[in-house]
Amino acid sequence: MSRNRLPQEEANGGTDAGQGSPARPTILDLAALCGVSPATVSNALAGKPNVKAQTRDLVLRKAREIGYHASSTARGLRMGRSWSIGLVVGDIANPFVPDVVRGVEDVVWRERKNLILCNTDFQAEKKTAYVRSLLDKQIDGMIVLSQILDDQDMERVEAAGIPLVTVNRRAPGHSCDYVGIDNQAGVRMAMDYLVSLGHRRIGFIKGLFRSSSADDRLAAYQEAVAAHGLDSDPSLVVQGDYSMESGDSATRNLMAAQRPTARPTAIVAANDLMALGALGALHDLGIKVPSDVSVVGFDNIQLAEHPLLNLTTINHPKRETGDSAARLLLQRIAGDRGDPPRSVILKPSLIVRGTSAPPSAAAVAKPRRRSASQPEKNQAEKKQAAGT
Amino acid sequence: MSRNRLPQEEANGGTDAGQGSPARPTILDLAALCGVSPATVSNALAGKPNVKAQTRDLVLRKAREIGYHASSTARGLRMGRSWSIGLVVGDIANPFVPDVVRGVEDVVWRERKNLILCNTDFQAEKKTAYVRSLLDKQIDGMIVLSQILDDQDMERVEAAGIPLVTVNRRAPGHSCDYVGIDNQAGVRMAMDYLVSLGHRRIGFIKGLFRSSSADDRLAAYQEAVAAHGLDSDPSLVVQGDYSMESGDSATRNLMAAQRPTARPTAIVAANDLMALGALGALHDLGIKVPSDVSVVGFDNIQLAEHPLLNLTTINHPKRETGDSAARLLLQRIAGDRGDPPRSVILKPSLIVRGTSAPPSAAAVAKPRRRSASQPEKNQAEKKQAAGT
DNA sequence: GTCCCGAGCTAAAACGTTTTTACTCCGTCC
DNA sequence: GGACGGAGTAAAAACGTTTTAGCTCGGGAC
C-alpha cells in the first residue's frame, strides 16, 4: 500500500497505533532521521572511507540515540554469513566436554561470533539432522568433538564450503583441520611411570573400539608392554565404554582372577571416568589403593584432583584443545580455504597424585622373566606439578 | 548482468564456470525444474492445501532429488524468526550446568530448534553483549540460567517481545516465566535430617549474597535453627562462593575454633561443590567424616555418588529443570504472549549417603539448653533411594 | 448467455541489509 | 572553457524466502 513513500516519511512511523512491541528501527528509519540514504548509513556504520567524517558522526550519534542495531538475519542473507559456528558434541554432560567448550567459547567470543551447541547423543540421525540444520543456517564454520560424521554429511559440509575442524577423532578419508592429543605419548608416560615404580603386571581398560583415540591408546599400551617386556596376558585388557560404570565392571573383571598373581598390580584406564569407576570398584572390593593396586587415568578431569579421589592421571589440556580448534577454525574462515589442512597435536603430561605407588612386596616377590633389553628406558619421569 | 532472465533459465546454471562450491540450489532453481512458480514450490513444501496433490508430489520429489533445503536466513528474514533459542549460562564448566543444558537441549531438539550457548563468565558486559547479539539474531526465545540480567537488558528483551524464562534466580521487578527449586524445603530437609540424627550445632556454608537462591537457602537454615532451637552462634555461618576452594577454606574457618565444643558437628553447604571442598578440608585436617563431622551438600551433582565421595546431599533435579524451562519457553513462543507468567517450582529430595551420621558421643555428651518446644518435628525423614 | 465461484496457480511485494553502479558537484588541469 | 577526476552521496539490485493479491479457467446456477 505505501508504494512510493516519501523520503522524509519515517519507515516505522504512523501506522503502528496498535498493540505489541513498537517494531525496532530499521536502517531506513535511521537514514530518514539523518537525512541520508540507507547506503550511506550502511557505509558509515561499517566505517567505510567514502563517507564524510561529519556525516559518519551524525549517523553514529543518531544510531546510538535510537538504539539501532542491524538485523543479523538481513545482513546474513545479503552477506552469506551468520557469525555463528556450530559445535557438535556427543554428550555435554560428560565432564570432559564442558572444559573444551569453554575453550572454544572463549576465542569465538573474541570475534563476537555465536556458538550453536549440538548435542548428538552419539545418534547418527541426530548428528545428520544437526549438520543439515547448521548448513541451512549458513554457519561460518563447524567444530566436531570426539566423533566423526558420516561420509554423506562430510560431503555436504565440504560441498557447502564450510570450514570444519575435527577434535580428538580423525575423519578417515577426509582432509580437514584437526586438533588432538598425542595419545600414544600419554599412555606411554603412564606405563613408563608405573614400570619405573616396579610394576610388571599392568591392566588396561580400553575405550570404545572404532574410535581412533581409543585405538591409539590401546596400541600404546601394547607397545609399552612389549617394549618393557611386561606380562602380556590378554585378560589384562578389558573393554570399557568411557563411562564410570564400565570402569567399575571392567575392574571387577580384572580382579576376578582366581590366583592373586594373575591380577594386575596397576590399572591404566583410557579415561578418568573409567579410572574413577575403577577406584570405586576397588574400594568396594576392599582392595587398597595405591598399596594393593595403583590406578592411573587419562584426561585429568576437574574432580580428579579432589583430595578424596586424588587420581594420578595423564593431563589432557582440555581448554587448550577448544582454544586451538576455535583458532584453527577462525583462521580458516578468515583466510584461504585452499590451504593444506593443519593439525595441532597437544602434549599430554603425567600428573602424579595419590593413586599410584610401587607394588606391594608380596606382588613383586616373585619376579617373572627378566627382560634384558631396555636399559635406556628407565625413568625419564618425575613428579610433575598438577598445573599441567 | 543477467537482467530479465527467461523463466526457463535455471537460476544457478551457466555462469559458474569458475571455482569453488557449485552454489546450492535456490527455490528458483527448484521452481524452474518443476515448471512452476516459486510461490507454488513454497506452498507445496509447506504443505499448504492450495496446491494440487500431483504438483506437490512432483515438487517434493524433485526437491529431494536435487537436495534442496530452504535457506534459514532467508526465511528467517521473511518470517521474523530464527528457530533458535538463546541459552545464557554463567559457567558451562560448573558441573551443575551441563545437566541442565542437556535437559534444555532435549526438548528444544524435538522442535528442531537450535541452541545458542552464551557463557557469560558472570561478567556484566559479556552478558549485555550476548543479549544484544541474541536480539539481533531474532531468536525465538531465551533462557537465563542462575543469573539475572540488568534492568536495561531486561527491557530490551521485553521491548523486542522475546519470551524469556529465568532459571534459579528470580528477576526482581520483572514478570517472566520462572523455573526453580524449593530451596527452603531442600535446606529444611537437610536440617531436619541432621537434627533427627542428634546434631545440635550445625554449620552452614552459604553461597554468594545477592542471589535469591543463596538468600533462600540461608534463610531456611536460620529458620531451621530457630525452629529446632539449635545453637545459633554467628560463627557457624561462613561465606562461600559456590566453588570447591571456597568450601575448603570456609570449612577451615568453621573448624578453627579453639574450644572443640565451639565447632559444629555437622556442616550443610549451599551446594555440592562447596560440600566437596569441605570434605577435602576435613580430610586434610584429619577430621573423620561422618564420625567426627557430618557433611550435607545441595544439588547432587554427578560425581557426588562416587563411592569415595559418597556425599549425602539434597537432590536438585537438574535435567528436569532444563526440561521445564524449555517447555515453558516453547509454550510461550507458540502461544499467547499475553498470558500471565508461570512458575515451575521443582521438589528437592534428600539423598542419604555416607557423609552423614549421628554426632560422636563426645560431641553430644554435653547437652546445652533443652529447647522444649518442638516435639512434633522429630523425624519425618527416612533413608531414600539415591535414584530420584 | 451471464454471473459467480472455487481451485490452482502466478506476479509481485516484502523482509532489512550490503554492494555495485551511477550521479552530482566542484576544483584542477590543460 | 571543456575534460578529467575524486569525493560524497543516492538509486537500485541483490540475497532467498513467504505471503498477499490477483489472475485464469472451467463449471454450475440462474
Side-chain angles (χ1 to χ4, degrees):
Chain A
M1 37 196 67
S2 78
R3 291 255 40 228
N4 249 340
R5 80 171 136 232
L6 299 176
Q8 292 302 348
E9 177 185 2
E10 287 189 26
N12 261 330
T15 63
D16 62 326
Q19 45 81 53
S21 24
R24 70 187 215 182
T26 77
I27 202 173
L28 296 180
D29 300 309
L30 185 52
L33 197 62
C34 298
V36 299
S37 77
T40 299
V41 171
S42 176
N43 286 328
L45 292 177
K48 295 269 178 66
N50 60 343
V51 35
K52 202 164 41 171
Q54 186 186 343
T55 315
R56 175 174 52 244
D57 293 349
L58 172 68
V59 169
L60 290 180
R61 190 157 48 77
K62 289 286 184 194
R64 183 176 329 253
E65 218 170 285
I66 66 173
Y68 169 77
H69 271 250
S71 150
S72 252
T73 323
R75 63 205 314 259
L77 175 58
R78 178 60 230 243
M79 302 175 76
R81 251 171 309 160
S82 66
W83 301 276
S84 48
I85 79 124
L87 178 53
V88 182
V89 309
D91 178 14
I92 184 71
N94 182 312
F96 177 83
V97 176
D99 285 342
V100 179
V101 173
R102 195 62 198 73
V104 171
E105 194 270 344
D106 207 40
V107 7
V108 160
W109 155 253
R110 277 184 229 138
E111 299 215 355
R112 295 302 182 273
K113 291 188 197 289
N114 283 334
L115 216 50
I116 300 186
L117 182 70
C118 305
N119 196 96
T120 68
D121 265 328
F122 299 106
Q123 295 171 19
E125 66 274 16
K126 217 175 156 184
K127 220 166 13 180
T128 297
Y130 260 133
V131 168
R132 267 229 165 80
S133 165
L134 290 176
L135 293 183
D136 292 350
K137 278 227 163 72
Q138 298 247 54
I139 49 161
D140 297 352
M142 191 165 160
I143 296 178
V144 177
L145 179 60
S146 302
Q147 47 193 325
I148 54 171
L149 301 181
D150 312 355
D151 280 345
Q152 216 174 6
D153 292 343
M154 211 67 178
E155 280 162 20
R156 273 195 265 265
V157 174
E158 282 167 1
I162 304 289
L164 168 65
V165 176
T166 62
V167 179
N168 286 353
R169 299 273 189 287
R170 289 215 115 102
H174 296 270
S175 76
C176 50
D177 293 343
Y178 170 79
V179 176
I181 189 177
D182 190 337
N183 288 300
Q184 314 236 8
V187 172
R188 204 183 316 123
M189 278 177 177
M191 294 296 288
D192 289 355
Y193 164 66
L194 287 171
V195 168
S196 80
L197 289 179
H199 292 276
R200 313 280 313 155
R201 192 162 177 82
I202 303 176
F204 186 78
I205 308 179
K206 63 180 172 177
L208 246 32
F209 39 95
R210 309 303 306 159
S211 93
S212 60
S213 68
D215 291 349
D216 288 351
R217 292 181 190 178
L218 174 60
Y221 163 80
Q222 288 164 333
E223 280 168 22
V225 167
H228 290 292
L230 305 179
D231 294 1
S232 72
D233 192 336
S235 71
L236 284 178
V237 176
V238 290
Q239 180 74 50
D241 65 0
Y242 286 134
S243 74
M244 225 171 87
E245 295 72 33
S246 77
D248 181 290
S249 57
T251 302
R252 291 174 197 275
N253 283 344
L254 275 175
M255 290 304 166
Q258 295 291 347
R259 294 176 302 116
T261 58
R263 301 179 199 140
T265 64
I267 298 176
V268 173
N271 77 343
D272 276 2
L273 236 33
M274 294 194 294
L276 292 182
L279 291 183
L282 294 171
H283 174 79
D284 272 10
L285 294 171
I287 300 174
K288 293 267 179 294
V289 174
S291 53
D292 293 342
V293 169
S294 290
V295 174
V296 179
F298 199 119
D299 278 350
N300 189 27
I301 63 175
Q302 279 183 44
L303 263 80
E305 69 170 328
H306 189 281
L308 292 183
L309 300 173
N310 206 14
L311 179 67
T312 295
T313 189
I314 303 297
N315 183 58
H316 188 152
K318 295 166 284 300
R319 187 137 173 181
E320 197 181 326
T321 297
D323 193 280
S324 300
R327 265 180 223 281
L328 239 46
L329 186 63
L330 292 182
Q331 282 178 29
R332 183 68 68 179
I333 290 171
D336 189 16
R337 251 93 157 157
D339 286 351
R342 281 164 305 176
S343 292
V344 173
I345 310 293
L346 297 171
K347 289 275 161 267
S349 57
L350 175 68
I351 298 187
V352 175
R353 294 206 186 94
T355 59
S356 52
S360 69
V364 286
K366 181 182 53 63
R368 305 167 83 83
R369 66 192 169 289
R370 182 102 242 160
S371 93
S373 53
Q374 284 78 14
E376 80 287 359
K377 275 226 174 157
N378 37 12
Q379 64 275 38
E381 311 81 10
K382 43 186 177 297
K383 186 156 179 147
Q384 302 198 7
T388 299
Chain B
M1 39 195 67
S2 78
R3 290 256 40 226
N4 249 341
R5 73 170 142 233
L6 300 175
Q8 293 301 347
E9 176 185 2
E10 288 188 27
N12 262 329
T15 62
D16 63 326
Q19 45 81 53
S21 22
R24 70 188 215 180
T26 77
I27 202 174
L28 297 179
D29 299 310
L30 185 51
L33 196 61
C34 298
V36 298
S37 79
T40 299
V41 171
S42 176
N43 287 328
L45 293 177
K48 295 270 179 63
N50 60 344
V51 36
K52 199 163 43 169
Q54 185 185 343
T55 317
R56 176 173 53 245
D57 293 349
L58 172 69
V59 169
L60 289 180
R61 190 158 48 78
K62 289 288 184 191
R64 187 179 326 256
E65 219 170 284
I66 66 172
Y68 169 77
H69 272 249
S71 151
S72 251
T73 323
R75 63 205 312 259
L77 174 58
R78 179 60 231 245
M79 303 176 75
R81 251 170 312 159
S82 66
W83 301 276
S84 47
I85 79 126
L87 178 54
V88 182
V89 308
D91 178 14
I92 184 70
N94 181 314
F96 177 84
V97 176
D99 285 342
V100 178
V101 174
R102 196 61 198 74
V104 172
E105 194 270 344
D106 208 40
V107 7
V108 160
W109 155 252
R110 277 183 229 140
E111 300 214 354
R112 295 302 182 270
K113 291 187 197 286
N114 284 333
L115 216 51
I116 301 186
L117 182 71
C118 305
N119 196 97
T120 68
D121 266 328
F122 299 104
Q123 296 171 20
E125 66 274 15
K126 217 176 157 184
K127 222 169 5 182
T128 297
Y130 260 132
V131 168
R132 267 229 165 80
S133 165
L134 290 175
L135 294 183
D136 292 350
K137 279 226 163 72
Q138 299 247 56
I139 48 162
D140 298 352
M142 190 163 158
I143 295 178
V144 177
L145 177 62
S146 301
Q147 47 192 325
I148 53 171
L149 301 181
D150 311 356
D151 280 345
Q152 216 175 7
D153 292 342
M154 211 67 179
E155 280 162 20
R156 273 195 266 265
V157 174
E158 283 167 1
I162 304 290
L164 168 66
V165 176
T166 61
V167 180
N168 285 352
R169 299 273 189 288
R170 287 216 119 100
H174 297 268
S175 77
C176 50
D177 293 343
Y178 170 80
V179 176
I181 189 176
D182 189 339
N183 288 299
Q184 313 237 9
V187 172
R188 204 181 318 124
M189 279 177 178
M191 294 296 289
D192 289 354
Y193 164 65
L194 287 172
V195 167
S196 80
L197 290 178
H199 292 274
R200 313 279 314 155
R201 191 164 178 81
I202 303 176
F204 186 77
I205 308 179
K206 63 180 174 178
L208 245 33
F209 39 96
R210 309 303 306 158
S211 93
S212 60
S213 69
D215 291 348
D216 288 351
R217 293 181 190 178
L218 175 59
Y221 163 80
Q222 288 164 333
E223 281 167 22
V225 166
H228 290 291
L230 305 179
D231 293 2
S232 73
D233 191 334
S235 71
L236 284 176
V237 176
V238 291
Q239 179 74 49
D241 64 0
Y242 286 134
S243 74
M244 226 171 88
E245 294 73 32
S246 78
D248 181 290
S249 56
T251 302
R252 290 175 198 275
N253 284 344
L254 275 176
M255 291 304 167
Q258 294 292 347
R259 293 176 302 117
T261 59
R263 301 180 199 139
T265 64
I267 298 176
V268 173
N271 76 343
D272 276 2
L273 236 32
M274 294 195 294
L276 292 181
L279 290 183
L282 293 172
H283 175 78
D284 272 11
L285 294 171
I287 300 174
K288 292 267 177 294
V289 175
S291 54
D292 293 341
V293 169
S294 290
V295 174
V296 179
F298 198 118
D299 279 350
N300 189 28
I301 62 175
Q302 279 183 46
L303 264 80
E305 69 169 329
H306 188 281
L308 294 183
L309 300 173
N310 206 16
L311 178 69
T312 295
T313 188
I314 303 297
N315 183 57
H316 190 153
K318 296 165 283 298
R319 187 137 172 181
E320 198 181 325
T321 297
D323 192 279
S324 301
R327 265 181 224 281
L328 240 45
L329 187 63
L330 292 182
Q331 283 178 28
R332 182 68 66 177
I333 290 171
D336 189 16
R337 252 92 157 158
D339 286 351
R342 283 166 304 178
S343 291
V344 173
I345 310 293
L346 298 171
K347 289 276 161 268
S349 57
L350 175 68
I351 297 187
V352 175
R353 295 207 185 95
T355 59
S356 52
S360 69
V364 285
K366 181 182 53 64
R368 306 169 83 85
R369 64 191 171 288
R370 182 103 245 162
S371 91
S373 53
Q374 284 80 16
E376 81 287 3
K377 276 229 172 152
N378 39 11
Q379 62 274 42
E381 309 80 10
K382 43 187 178 296
K383 185 152 177 148
Q384 304 198 8
T388 302

